[in-house]
Amino acid sequence: MNFKRIELIFFIAFILLDIFLFASYSQKDNLVESTVSTTTKHSSNSILKSIKSDQISVGELSTKKANGYYIAAFAKDAWHSDAGKLHDVLWSFNSHRLTATFENRIKLKNSKKPQQTLNGIVKDTTKVINGDNYVYDKYLSTKNTVVYVQQVKNKPIYSTAGQIRFNLKKNYVLGYTQKYIAEIKFLKGKRPIISQERALIWLYQYNKLMNNSTVKWIRLSYTRLLNVNNSTIYIPTWVLAVESNSSGSVQYRRINAFTGAYMEENVSLR
């Protein structure tokens, strides 16, 4: 892959994106940043009280800041040769996805902690390819589907392009589907990212938190920004799962951890 060309195209796209974000959010950004710079704590407390008054429940919020990177990655398409290493597994391959079925289904040791069994399976090179690059993710897992995700700098990549999804039925593991992100490239030096608390405040000010709801979790991860020259650009993102207290439905929200901009909702995490 010509990474220099990818970087050039990416930076052009990024500049255009920044111009768009600036035009869309400059007035709101200036107002918020001005308030934060003069009365940061007071402003944050005031907004958090407004969140509470709107019957939006949220747990402890961290004010700690960190750093992140822009990364480019590619979906690996070499499952045909790699899958030959699997044993006692029936598999098929389609559109970068490996679908595997265990010839002998595997019983979970503890149904409430499926990772106790699945961690060993993931690390078994005769059962899963490149399993060392995935970790268990309790946030995306459900009763019938246990999700393992790839990581970058100890942060999960929230994209179906880098997941193993184990299928469960009556405490037995039947098989899994897998996609693998390969050739990860860091495109720029590290940049500061906003805190967890600031991400929630931004989301509330964008009017993207429904009243009478519960923020189930807020997690820093990498999600897709755009596609460039057959590669995918990922950026640090605060991902929030918001559950309606009346209907029980869960919506996922994303905040750009670099700029604080709201990102589109149509993103596949599961």
Side-chain angles (χ1 to χ4, degrees):
M1 297 293 178
N2 189 336
F3 286 115
K4 291 187 178 297
R5 183 181 178 187
I6 293 174
E7 289 183 5
L8 177 60
I9 296 174
F10 168 72
F11 288 133
I12 293 174
F14 176 68
I15 290 172
L16 294 175
L17 181 65
D18 269 358
I19 293 173
F20 170 77
L21 293 176
F22 179 81
S24 301
Y25 301 108
S26 59
Q27 291 184 343
K28 186 174 290 185
D29 287 355
N30 290 337
L31 175 61
V32 173
E33 292 304 323
S34 176
T35 303
V36 170
S37 63
T38 54
T39 56
T40 303
K41 191 65 177 178
H42 174 76
S43 175
S44 296
N45 288 340
S46 176
I47 296 173
L48 291 173
K49 287 180 180 179
S50 296
I51 291 174
K52 186 176 181 180
S53 68
D54 285 339
Q55 296 182 306
I56 300 171
S57 301
V58 62
E60 291 288 331
L61 296 170
S62 173
T63 58
K64 182 180 179 181
K65 297 180 181 180
N67 296 294
Y69 302 81
Y70 289 96
I71 62 173
F74 305 86
K76 189 176 181 181
D77 200 14
W79 295 112
H80 287 89
S81 59
D82 292 338
K85 304 172 185 176
L86 300 176
H87 298 290
D88 301 321
V89 176
L90 302 176
W91 60 270
S92 62
F93 174 79
N94 184 48
S95 299
H96 306 291
R97 177 185 284 110
L98 177 73
T99 299
T101 301
F102 295 123
E103 292 185 351
N104 298 302
R105 60 182 186 170
I106 301 170
K107 184 175 177 58
L108 294 176
K109 297 177 182 178
N110 186 337
S111 60
K112 294 183 179 180
K113 296 182 179 180
Q115 69 274 20
Q116 290 183 353
T117 300
L118 292 175
N119 283 348
I121 296 174
V122 170
K123 293 179 180 179
D124 186 344
T125 57
T126 68
K127 297 293 186 291
V128 176
I129 302 166
N130 298 325
D132 287 340
N133 295 318
Y134 298 82
V135 295
Y136 169 67
D137 194 290
K138 66 178 181 180
Y139 300 97
L140 300 185
S141 297
T142 65
K143 180 180 179 181
N144 297 317
T145 304
V146 178
V147 179
Y148 279 68
V149 299
Q150 288 184 247
Q151 286 189 316
V152 174
K153 297 288 186 181
N154 296 320
K155 297 293 185 296
I157 300 177
Y158 273 1
S159 167
T160 55
Q163 292 182 357
I164 301 174
R165 303 173 60 80
F166 287 97
N167 305 313
L168 274 57
K169 185 176 182 180
K170 296 182 179 180
N171 296 330
Y172 282 91
V173 186
L174 305 182
Y176 62 88
T177 59
Q178 179 184 9
K179 280 191 171 184
Y180 182 62
I181 298 173
E183 300 182 48
I184 293 176
K185 173 76 173 180
F186 293 90
L187 298 179
K188 295 185 67 176
K190 62 183 179 181
R191 293 186 56 189
I193 60 178
I194 62 176
S195 69
Q196 185 185 64
E197 180 183 85
R198 177 52 50 189
L200 181 74
I201 289 173
W202 276 115
L203 194 63
Y204 178 74
Q205 293 182 318
Y206 291 136
N207 198 29
K208 293 297 183 178
L209 282 177
M210 64 184 110
N211 292 353
N212 189 28
S213 64
T214 300
V215 179
K216 295 176 67 66
W217 49 263
I218 308 175
R219 196 171 190 203
L220 184 62
S221 64
Y222 279 86
T223 68
R224 185 185 67 84
L225 175 65
L226 48 80
N227 293 322
V228 180
N229 196 28
N230 296 321
S231 68
T232 302
I233 307 302
Y234 294 90
I235 62 170
T237 310
W238 284 107
V239 179
L240 300 87
V242 185
E243 181 179 47
S244 169
N245 293 335
S246 57
S247 68
S249 62
V250 176
Q251 297 178 342
Y252 295 102
R253 300 288 193 238
R254 295 194 301 158
I255 290 290
N256 186 318
F258 284 145
T259 67
Y262 177 71
M263 302 174 71
E264 80 279 0
E265 299 170 21
N266 187 23
V267 57
S268 180
L269 301 179
R270 290 180 173 176

